[in-house]
Amino acid sequence: MEELLQKIEVYKAEIAAFTGSNTDEVEAFRIKYLGTNGLVKTVMGEMKNVPNENKREFGQILNNFKIFVQDSYDILKEKTAETENKIEHNFDWSLPGNPVVVGTRHPLNIIRNQIVSIFQKIGFAVSEGPEIEDDWHNFGAMNLPEDHPARDMQDTFYVNQNPIWLLRTHTSSVQARVMQHQKPPIRVICPGRVYRNETISARAHCFFHQVEGLYIDENVSFADLKQTLYFFVQEMFGKDVKVRFRPSYFPFTEPSAEMDISCLICESKGCNVCKHSGWVEILGSGMVHPNVLENFGIDSNKYTGFAFGMGVERIAQLKYRVNDLRLYSQNDIRFLKQFMGVV
Ligand code: 2NL
């Protein structure tokens, strides 16, 4: 019994000396003294060994001990809640926040958006379509029948044979869908990713990005084509830019022309970008082939149209002097970071 009294004194001293001040420590205190297997329970268990004549006296001592522990715990709990609250309230809200790392817009998206906004200014709508196409929308409707030699230049990846599903080689397939569902006048540009079966190098990749345009109405002429594309390059490259058209061939246009702009890098004095010619090629264009119009039930005697297609990589290369196409898709942070803040 003496022993029990001594134990209680030791616990009391321990409790009085307890300095824990955070929630975890106070919880450990509760478990140690007041838990299901805690010391208070153990001490109480000793009651059964106390002789009957002392039970009353001891009962009171033990009860007081229990109240002491409970009170100590309550005080500790209140104190920690207070200090932890204080820490919260003492927080300096004027401190700068953690920096949020924002990415950068991809150069191809920057250029694509610029191209799209320029054409939107002069009344072109924007259309998008699927990257997996059927043979008709990608080739057939574009005056490229099966076995046509021009298909060689646009070999692609075949997803399925019979029926043929392939990765589109140009966004003309989107314009095909527009012609299928809309009547002239049609004035649309189609940005998107396209695919070609090419060996990957600095100058060729198995996918690239295009913006194609199509304008069909009565009395649309080659003069409209020239003026529209001239407006575009002036907006894109500045008022000083000169243009020239060279005859070319595309199965879906007749006549066809490629457009060059004066080399802005050397001001046409001659450099390796323009291969010392003073001119750089930027797009292909032409008057929509009557067969293409008739494929969609558009009367080619009543309506004419022009179309053009450009590679976004090519325009970005001229604007940002990117000399290796592969940089666009390698996700090299050192390359991408250079476009920080450009929108
Ligand atoms: C290039 C050349 C071109 C077209 C695309 C086109 C579309 C329709 C009808 C006729 Cl729906 N033509 N598109 C015309 C000429 C050239 O692209 O070098 N692209 C990267």
Side-chain angles (χ1 to χ4, degrees), residues 142 170-173 175-176 179 196 208-214 250 252-253 256-258 281-289 292 296 306-311:
M142 286 300 130
H170 46 198
T171 58
S172 304
S173 56
Q175 284 148 309
M179 286 188 280
R196 306 263 165 109
F208 67 100
H209 299 77
Q210 255 202 330
V211 178
E212 282 210 17
L214 175 69
F250 301 108
F252 26 86
T253 48
S256 306
E258 268 163 293
E281 182 189 323
I282 67 155
L283 56 82
S285 64
M287 300 307 290
V288 179
H289 197 291
V292 175
F296 295 96
F306 69 74
F308 55 88
M310 66 184 97

Side-chain angles (χ1 to χ4, degrees), residues 18 55 72 110 114 116 124 142 163 165 174 270-271 293 308 323:
F18 182 81
K55 271 206 175 11
S72 304
I110 297 168
Q114 286 174 2
V116 167
F124 280 79
M142 286 300 130
W165 292 335
V174 183
C271 66
L293 296 175
F308 55 88
N323 54 21

Side-chain angles (χ1 to χ4, degrees), residues 135 139-140 143-152 158 164:
D135 196 68
F139 290 129
N143 205 29
L144 272 147
E146 255 175 75
D147 306 323
H148 192 289
R151 283 204 184 195
D152 255 12
Y158 288 81
I164 292 177

